[in-house]
Amino acid sequence: MTDGYREPGREIILVTGASKGIGQAICRELAHRDSYTVINYYSDKSGAEKTLAMVRKAGGMGELYPFDVRDGEAVERSIEDIVSRLGSIDILINNAGVIADGLFMMMSPQSWHTVIDTSLNGFYNLTRPVIETMVRRKKGSVVSISSASSMMANRGQANYSAAKAGLNAASRSLAAEVARLGIRVNVVAPGLINTEMVKDAPVKEIKNMIPMARLGTPEEVASVVRFLCSDDSSYITGQVISVNGGMF
């Protein structure tokens, strides 16, 4: 499903894991009359279609583009196709992520590798070829979605914490490499956000951990992402910005 070839001057945005939750909210927040959003998903096509409808309602244009961020070869082919058809990728949002919680001493290799491969290796698979195109144009912004778990201990999330902490560190290093080339790289680290990922969590107990005494919303995360992608943040790079209700 596509809106066709983009008009000259349109801002090209690629958002991974955009079929629901924070990814869906980011697509809606970034949509405007001069934007064209490539909405990536892995299996939830109906959710991605809802995201595209939201983008159109907000005044933007876009298309659906399924691929698995863990598959480096498929990702590289996808990036080549997107750039050849649309001309560029101006903004990359690395949002795709999964959880597979469990105590470390009982964690299976599959649970470890699935989380690492999605959040951390997925960042590499997407960002490396996209950054290459941005360097040629000396322009671009990359924002990756991390987690409060990357900066605080959380039982049962050794795999998730490792993946997101690695994402933070890799983003800082990349930001230092490309800052003089007109490219900014930042991270947003949400706390407990009201999405499907916390649907089975003990919400009442969780709220007692948060100074604001409530869960955040996907829209509150998306608004920070929008700021980091805008000219209002033109002197901000290499940062990890927490959106967590004051948890620490």
Side-chain angles (χ1 to χ4, degrees), residues 21-40:
I22 290 173
Q24 191 172 76
I26 289 170
C27 289
R28 185 171 62 245
E29 187 73 25
L30 294 181
H32 54 83
R33 67 180 182 86
D34 292 324
S35 69
Y36 189 98
T37 305
V38 180
I39 298 165
N40 164 255

mmCIF file of all heavy atoms in Angstrom, residues 21-40:
data_model
loop_
_atom_site.group_PDB
_atom_site.id
_atom_site.type_symbol
_atom_site.label_atom_id
_atom_site.label_comp_id
_atom_site.label_asym_id
_atom_site.label_seq_id
_atom_site.Cartn_x
_atom_site.Cartn_y
_atom_site.Cartn_z
ATOM 1 N N GLY A 21 1.671 1.027 19.243
ATOM 2 C CA GLY A 21 2.378 1.616 20.369
ATOM 3 C C GLY A 21 3.177 2.860 20.044
ATOM 4 O O GLY A 21 2.706 3.770 19.373
ATOM 5 N N ILE A 22 4.405 2.881 20.522
ATOM 6 C CA ILE A 22 5.257 4.057 20.359
ATOM 7 C C ILE A 22 5.566 4.307 18.890
ATOM 8 O O ILE A 22 5.544 5.451 18.431
ATOM 9 C CB ILE A 22 6.558 3.881 21.178
ATOM 10 C CG1 ILE A 22 6.244 3.947 22.677
ATOM 11 C CG2 ILE A 22 7.579 4.954 20.807
ATOM 12 C CD1 ILE A 22 7.421 3.623 23.576
ATOM 13 N N GLY A 23 5.832 3.266 18.121
ATOM 14 C CA GLY A 23 6.132 3.444 16.699
ATOM 15 C C GLY A 23 4.981 4.080 15.952
ATOM 16 O O GLY A 23 5.176 4.965 15.107
ATOM 17 N N GLN A 24 3.768 3.639 16.231
ATOM 18 C CA GLN A 24 2.582 4.213 15.597
ATOM 19 C C GLN A 24 2.425 5.682 15.971
ATOM 20 O O GLN A 24 2.141 6.534 15.117
ATOM 21 C CB GLN A 24 1.351 3.422 16.023
ATOM 22 C CG GLN A 24 0.091 3.742 15.255
ATOM 23 C CD GLN A 24 -1.023 2.777 15.604
ATOM 24 O OE1 GLN A 24 -1.627 2.884 16.678
ATOM 25 N NE2 GLN A 24 -1.306 1.833 14.714
ATOM 26 N N ALA A 25 2.626 5.994 17.258
ATOM 27 C CA ALA A 25 2.512 7.380 17.713
ATOM 28 C C ALA A 25 3.570 8.270 17.070
ATOM 29 O O ALA A 25 3.305 9.435 16.738
ATOM 30 C CB ALA A 25 2.627 7.437 19.239
ATOM 31 N N ILE A 26 4.775 7.733 16.872
ATOM 32 C CA ILE A 26 5.840 8.509 16.237
ATOM 33 C C ILE A 26 5.472 8.841 14.797
ATOM 34 O O ILE A 26 5.649 9.978 14.340
ATOM 35 C CB ILE A 26 7.174 7.743 16.296
ATOM 36 C CG1 ILE A 26 7.702 7.712 17.736
ATOM 37 C CG2 ILE A 26 8.217 8.385 15.370
ATOM 38 C CD1 ILE A 26 8.881 6.786 17.938
ATOM 39 N N CYS A 27 4.959 7.866 14.074
ATOM 40 C CA CYS A 27 4.548 8.120 12.684
ATOM 41 C C CYS A 27 3.506 9.221 12.623
ATOM 42 O O CYS A 27 3.580 10.114 11.771
ATOM 43 C CB CYS A 27 3.998 6.844 12.062
ATOM 44 S SG CYS A 27 5.240 5.584 11.722
ATOM 45 N N ARG A 28 2.545 9.157 13.497
ATOM 46 C CA ARG A 28 1.494 10.179 13.508
ATOM 47 C C ARG A 28 2.066 11.546 13.872
ATOM 48 O O ARG A 28 1.695 12.569 13.284
ATOM 49 C CB ARG A 28 0.399 9.774 14.490
ATOM 50 C CG ARG A 28 -0.803 10.717 14.503
ATOM 51 C CD ARG A 28 -1.946 10.162 15.327
ATOM 52 N NE ARG A 28 -1.565 9.996 16.731
ATOM 53 C CZ ARG A 28 -1.490 8.823 17.349
ATOM 54 N NH1 ARG A 28 -1.739 7.702 16.686
ATOM 55 N NH2 ARG A 28 -1.145 8.757 18.626
ATOM 56 N N GLU A 29 2.971 11.574 14.838
ATOM 57 C CA GLU A 29 3.547 12.840 15.302
ATOM 58 C C GLU A 29 4.425 13.494 14.240
ATOM 59 O O GLU A 29 4.462 14.722 14.130
ATOM 60 C CB GLU A 29 4.367 12.592 16.569
ATOM 61 C CG GLU A 29 4.883 13.827 17.255
ATOM 62 C CD GLU A 29 3.795 14.618 17.974
ATOM 63 O OE1 GLU A 29 2.769 14.027 18.351
ATOM 64 O OE2 GLU A 29 3.976 15.841 18.175
ATOM 65 N N LEU A 30 5.121 12.683 13.446
ATOM 66 C CA LEU A 30 6.030 13.233 12.439
ATOM 67 C C LEU A 30 5.335 13.577 11.123
ATOM 68 O O LEU A 30 5.927 14.229 10.263
ATOM 69 C CB LEU A 30 7.166 12.245 12.157
ATOM 70 C CG LEU A 30 8.142 11.958 13.301
ATOM 71 C CD1 LEU A 30 9.216 10.990 12.844
ATOM 72 C CD2 LEU A 30 8.770 13.239 13.831
ATOM 73 N N ALA A 31 4.103 13.120 10.967
ATOM 74 C CA ALA A 31 3.397 13.344 9.700
ATOM 75 C C ALA A 31 3.009 14.807 9.527
ATOM 76 O O ALA A 31 2.504 15.438 10.447
ATOM 77 C CB ALA A 31 2.151 12.473 9.636
ATOM 78 N N HIS A 32 3.279 15.328 8.332
ATOM 79 C CA HIS A 32 2.835 16.667 7.957
ATOM 80 C C HIS A 32 2.736 16.702 6.445
ATOM 81 O O HIS A 32 3.067 15.729 5.760
ATOM 82 C CB HIS A 32 3.792 17.742 8.489
ATOM 83 C CG HIS A 32 5.222 17.528 8.103
ATOM 84 N ND1 HIS A 32 5.739 17.915 6.880
ATOM 85 C CD2 HIS A 32 6.258 16.950 8.774
ATOM 86 C CE1 HIS A 32 7.012 17.598 6.815
ATOM 87 N NE2 HIS A 32 7.359 17.003 7.942
ATOM 88 N N ARG A 33 2.275 17.802 5.914
ATOM 89 C CA ARG A 33 1.940 17.831 4.486
ATOM 90 C C ARG A 33 3.160 17.653 3.582
ATOM 91 O O ARG A 33 3.007 17.322 2.405
ATOM 92 C CB ARG A 33 1.219 19.130 4.142
ATOM 93 C CG ARG A 33 2.059 20.376 4.267
ATOM 94 C CD ARG A 33 1.245 21.616 3.901
ATOM 95 N NE ARG A 33 2.046 22.830 3.955
ATOM 96 C CZ ARG A 33 2.786 23.271 2.945
ATOM 97 N NH1 ARG A 33 2.836 22.588 1.813
ATOM 98 N NH2 ARG A 33 3.486 24.375 3.055
ATOM 99 N N ASP A 34 4.362 17.857 4.103
ATOM 100 C CA ASP A 34 5.566 17.695 3.288
ATOM 101 C C ASP A 34 6.368 16.455 3.685
ATOM 102 O O ASP A 34 7.569 16.387 3.441
ATOM 103 C CB ASP A 34 6.448 18.940 3.388
ATOM 104 C CG ASP A 34 5.813 20.152 2.718
ATOM 105 O OD1 ASP A 34 5.152 19.969 1.690
ATOM 106 O OD2 ASP A 34 5.974 21.271 3.233
ATOM 107 N N SER A 35 5.707 15.479 4.300
ATOM 108 C CA SER A 35 6.417 14.271 4.734
ATOM 109 C C SER A 35 5.910 13.038 4.005
ATOM 110 O O SER A 35 4.763 12.976 3.552
ATOM 111 C CB SER A 35 6.251 14.057 6.246
ATOM 112 O OG SER A 35 4.909 13.702 6.560
ATOM 113 N N TYR A 36 6.796 12.054 3.888
ATOM 114 C CA TYR A 36 6.464 10.753 3.308
ATOM 115 C C TYR A 36 7.064 9.711 4.228
ATOM 116 O O TYR A 36 8.292 9.629 4.381
ATOM 117 C CB TYR A 36 7.039 10.623 1.895
ATOM 118 C CG TYR A 36 6.567 9.404 1.148
ATOM 119 C CD1 TYR A 36 5.523 9.497 0.230
ATOM 120 C CD2 TYR A 36 7.150 8.157 1.358
ATOM 121 C CE1 TYR A 36 5.077 8.376 -0.462
ATOM 122 C CE2 TYR A 36 6.712 7.034 0.675
ATOM 123 C CZ TYR A 36 5.679 7.152 -0.238
ATOM 124 O OH TYR A 36 5.230 6.048 -0.919
ATOM 125 N N THR A 37 6.206 8.922 4.873
ATOM 126 C CA THR A 37 6.649 7.992 5.899
ATOM 127 C C THR A 37 6.650 6.557 5.389
ATOM 128 O O THR A 37 5.621 6.059 4.920
ATOM 129 C CB THR A 37 5.750 8.080 7.145
ATOM 130 O OG1 THR A 37 5.713 9.437 7.609
ATOM 131 C CG2 THR A 37 6.281 7.191 8.253
ATOM 132 N N VAL A 38 7.806 5.904 5.487
ATOM 133 C CA VAL A 38 7.915 4.487 5.181
ATOM 134 C C VAL A 38 7.681 3.736 6.485
ATOM 135 O O VAL A 38 8.480 3.828 7.424
ATOM 136 C CB VAL A 38 9.289 4.142 4.588
ATOM 137 C CG1 VAL A 38 9.373 2.655 4.283
ATOM 138 C CG2 VAL A 38 9.541 4.959 3.323
ATOM 139 N N ILE A 39 6.569 3.022 6.547
ATOM 140 C CA ILE A 39 6.106 2.373 7.776
ATOM 141 C C ILE A 39 6.532 0.913 7.755
ATOM 142 O O ILE A 39 5.964 0.096 7.040
ATOM 143 C CB ILE A 39 4.573 2.499 7.889
ATOM 144 C CG1 ILE A 39 4.175 3.981 7.976
ATOM 145 C CG2 ILE A 39 4.047 1.724 9.086
ATOM 146 C CD1 ILE A 39 2.701 4.228 7.719
ATOM 147 N N ASN A 40 7.548 0.587 8.542
ATOM 148 C CA ASN A 40 8.037 -0.782 8.592
ATOM 149 C C ASN A 40 7.273 -1.597 9.631
ATOM 150 O O ASN A 40 6.911 -1.092 10.694
ATOM 151 C CB ASN A 40 9.523 -0.803 8.935
ATOM 152 C CG ASN A 40 9.985 -2.178 9.389
ATOM 153 O OD1 ASN A 40 10.215 -2.396 10.581
ATOM 154 N ND2 ASN A 40 10.083 -3.113 8.474
#
